[in-house]
Amino acid sequence: MLQRNLALHTDLYLPRWMYIYWQEGRHNERAVFDVYYRTNPFEGGYVVFAGLENIIEYVQTLRFTEEDIIYLQKMIGFPEEFKDELRNFTFSGSISSVKEGEIVFPNEPLVRIEARIFEAKLLQTAILNIANHESLIATKYARIRQSAPGAKFLEAGARRAQGIDAAYFGTRASYLAGFDVTSLASAGRDFGIPSGGTMEHADIQFHDDELTAFRTFAAYYPDQATLLVDTYDTLKSGLPNAIIVAKELAAKGHKLRGIRIDSGDLSYLSKRARTMLDEAGFTEVDIVLSGDLDEYVIQDLRIQGAQANTFLVGTRGITAYEQPALGMVYKLVAREVDGALVPVIKVSSSKAKTTTPHIKEVYRIVDRVTNKFKGDYVTLLDEDPTHLDSIDLIDVRDPSFRNRIENFNVERLLTPIFVDGELIYSVPTIEESRQFHEQQIGRLWEEYKRLRLPEVYAITFSDRLWKLKLDMIRDTRTASGIK
């Protein structure tokens, strides 16, 4: 992980309001915030939640340095007494979250923060920054992964990512979502992700001829060489030279690992390459395809019968290409009044921006026979659907839709992470989170995983929660003089 101080990784208005609450004597009042998103990215059917490990480290190491405090005093303007509040800052609240790798959906709490308003305000920017980015990238890589079941996927997008952090944590997200190997050495070292690579066109151009370049690579890595065959002419030069090297390696007891095609008509070239390799007796040599690949291109290549079992993905994965942001939000849902937490709501002229009040739990309803997801059920904190004999799943985007479920199991999605400032969660390894993701996405019906026009997953509010929301919308509008 990148160890550094992130206390000022926050929008400036947030510490300004921390100061205001301190001046008002309200900085110790408790507040509850939900983190959620409103719309699935890529016009898809789900999101892969990621970034929890990074959030945990951020919260654990969150402290103000003297340099931070001096800067804030200059920008905000506060008395010397307020400096001690910042010097003594540690997170003492509670956080619950879905697990990394979980499949999640719009308008359900993914992270819940309950803390002093003084603390909860500061966390907003960093938590959203982390969860938005890593979840978006993990979702993109999961979609790419599902476009070719059984294939091997290599991640090689660092040079095109929007900065060092985006490359580093985006690579981690790729592995979480099912990619097999990364080219980024730092991610391989720090996260334990398998790392590797082939060669680039410059390595061939730097030699007098293509065959010499291939022979040089194979001489040093006789059992790991994947040769890039499209520098000059894939079928007339690259493949014939690769076959020459494959024969020379075989004569010495080694095997050429693969060839890579990075340009041209990848479908046609891969089929011709497979034929040429097979006819030369190298049926086990891998064909790797690269060159601005994404889930749509790979799916089309498979439909066209492209002869490749490995795909190298760069720009369109690490940048999430067509979707610049996920849009998670951090919304107040309850605040302390006379020692008790009471619900609050934001009512907007935009239906999508009206919040859902109070402290909530999220439960997954699972078919007892197939072990597949049937829908998610959002309740008030004191409700327990595990004792129900039946549940009517009602999509809040279409209340007329009802589906009575009777033979089901219930799984709670929000797991306690911090309680009263103490980390109580055992942080899984990246391998464990990767396996968890593979398990969870395997429990999602294929209809929700379609790359285009997926089925809409049912998110149901309990009757009590739905009534509370409608009542608070009405009461808020009435109190505001809105008819």
Side-chain angles (χ1 to χ4, degrees):
M1 291 297 198
L2 298 181
Q3 297 288 343
R4 59 189 176 186
N5 175 49
L6 293 177
L8 292 191
H9 192 72
T10 184
D11 295 294
L12 187 62
Y13 78 92
L14 297 170
R16 176 175 285 150
W17 273 96
M18 292 166 64
Y19 170 59
I20 291 172
Y21 289 130
W22 179 80
Q23 282 283 30
E24 295 288 309
R26 301 186 60 192
H27 59 297
N28 289 324
E29 292 180 15
R30 290 177 296 155
V32 181
F33 287 83
D34 282 348
V35 174
Y36 62 96
Y37 71 97
R38 300 184 179 109
T39 306
N40 285 323
F42 315 111
E43 298 183 353
Y46 64 90
V47 156
V48 179
F49 180 74
L52 179 58
E53 182 176 321
N54 206 359
I55 290 171
I56 290 171
E57 182 179 352
Y58 159 74
V59 172
Q60 285 185 300
T61 58
L62 188 54
R63 301 289 188 279
F64 286 96
T65 66
E66 288 301 312
E67 184 181 4
D68 297 335
I69 294 169
I70 291 170
Y71 174 78
L72 287 177
Q73 187 178 40
K74 176 182 176 182
M75 297 301 296
I76 297 172
F78 49 71
E80 291 296 308
E81 294 84 354
F82 187 65
K83 288 184 175 181
D84 287 335
E85 284 290 340
L86 298 179
R87 289 188 184 106
N88 296 328
F89 183 97
T90 57
F91 182 73
S92 62
S94 298
I95 296 177
S96 294
S97 174
V98 299
K99 297 176 181 179
E100 279 205 276
E102 183 62 271
I103 310 302
V104 296
F105 303 94
N107 300 309
E108 58 186 15
L110 308 180
V111 183
R112 183 178 68 226
I113 298 94
E114 179 181 341
R116 298 186 303 147
I117 188 65
F118 191 78
E119 300 170 25
K121 291 289 285 185
L122 183 64
L123 270 57
Q124 178 172 340
T125 304
I127 286 181
L128 287 179
N129 184 189
I130 294 167
N132 264 310
H133 173 252
E134 295 189 42
S135 298
L136 178 69
I137 302 303
T139 304
K140 181 63 174 179
Y141 279 117
R143 288 168 56 83
I144 295 172
R145 184 72 185 82
Q146 75 184 61
S147 67
K152 185 175 182 180
F153 282 84
L154 313 179
E155 187 284 318
R159 64 190 65 188
R160 300 289 176 79
Q162 290 96 338
I164 291 174
D165 282 9
Y168 184 73
F169 291 111
T171 295
R172 181 183 182 278
S174 77
Y175 191 66
L176 172 72
F179 268 54
D180 300 287
V181 177
T182 181
S183 66
L184 188 61
S186 61
R189 176 197 64 196
D190 295 348
F191 301 124
I193 299 172
S195 57
T198 59
M199 62 192 310
E200 63 175 347
H201 297 103
D203 297 317
I204 297 168
Q205 295 168 283
F206 196 71
H207 289 78
D208 291 338
D209 60 76
E210 186 178 56
L211 182 57
T212 300
F214 286 177
R215 281 172 168 161
T216 301
F217 188 13
Y220 284 94
Y221 296 96
D223 295 307
Q224 300 178 41
T226 295
L227 305 178
L228 182 59
V229 297
D230 73 316
T231 304
Y232 303 122
D233 188 293
T234 300
L235 300 182
K236 295 180 180 179
S237 173
L239 257 299
N241 284 330
I243 289 171
I244 290 172
V245 172
K247 290 178 179 178
E248 292 172 351
L249 285 172
K252 299 176 182 178
H254 300 288
K255 292 183 179 180
L256 179 65
R257 174 177 285 184
I259 60 102
R260 177 161 73 95
I261 307 172
D262 188 56
S263 61
D265 186 332
L266 299 181
S267 176
Y268 170 75
L269 292 174
S270 69
K271 286 183 275 191
R272 290 289 296 123
R274 184 74 275 160
T275 298
M276 292 172 67
L277 288 167
D278 289 353
E279 288 177 349
F282 299 108
T283 58
E284 294 183 0
V285 171
D286 287 348
I287 297 177
V288 182
L289 298 184
S290 60
D292 286 332
L293 300 183
D294 63 12
E295 64 267 45
Y296 306 109
V297 174
I298 293 172
Q299 188 176 70
D300 286 346
L301 286 171
R302 300 279 276 199
I303 291 171
Q304 294 162 18
Q307 293 297 298
N309 45 18
T310 303
F311 299 93
L312 188 152
V313 179
T315 304
R316 292 176 181 265
I318 200 70
T319 64
Y321 207 65
E322 73 272 30
Q323 181 85 32
L326 176 53
M328 282 188 190
V329 293
Y330 187 101
K331 295 299 181 182
L332 183 70
V333 296
R335 68 182 181 93
E336 185 177 3
V337 177
D338 296 328
L341 288 168
V342 300
V344 298
I345 192 171
K346 172 191 173 185
V347 178
S348 172
S349 57
S350 171
K351 180 181 176 182
K353 291 193 173 184
T354 295
T355 60
T356 302
H358 222 349
I359 312 172
K360 299 175 285 294
E361 289 288 359
V362 186
Y363 296 92
R364 181 145 293 161
I365 310 304
V366 179
D367 186 280
R368 196 168 283 162
V369 176
T370 64
N371 199 34
K372 298 276 190 177
F373 304 157
K374 298 294 291 184
D376 287 0
Y377 193 62
V378 186
T379 74
L380 293 169
L381 189 63
D382 62 353
E383 296 185 87
D384 183 3
T386 60
H387 301 305
L388 298 177
D389 295 325
S390 63
I391 289 180
D392 287 336
L393 294 183
I394 306 170
D395 190 331
V396 294
R397 291 152 291 185
D398 181 8
S400 65
F401 172 75
R402 289 174 177 265
N403 181 20
R404 175 152 291 190
I405 307 297
E406 295 182 339
N407 190 21
F408 62 91
N409 293 320
V410 176
E411 298 175 2
R412 180 177 170 181
L413 293 192
L414 292 175
T415 298
I417 308 298
F418 290 92
V419 174
D420 297 331
E422 180 182 352
L423 178 65
I424 65 167
Y425 180 63
S426 179
V427 181
T429 65
I430 185 64
E431 288 292 345
E432 291 170 336
S433 293
R434 173 185 166 92
Q435 291 170 13
F436 175 72
H437 165 70
E438 183 177 0
Q439 167 194 315
Q440 295 303 88
I441 202 166
R443 301 170 72 196
L444 183 65
W445 291 100
E446 295 300 319
E447 289 80 356
Y448 302 112
K449 292 189 279 189
R450 282 198 296 263
L451 298 180
R452 297 177 176 87
L453 300 176
E455 185 59 62
V456 178
Y457 189 83
I459 308 297
T460 303
F461 290 176
S462 71
D463 290 343
R464 283 180 57 201
L465 177 58
W466 189 235
K467 182 177 185 304
L468 174 65
K469 182 171 183 174
L470 294 179
D471 287 348
M472 291 192 71
I473 292 172
R474 182 193 64 239
D475 292 348
T476 302
R477 289 185 175 276
T478 300
S480 302
I482 302 172
K483 296 182 180 179

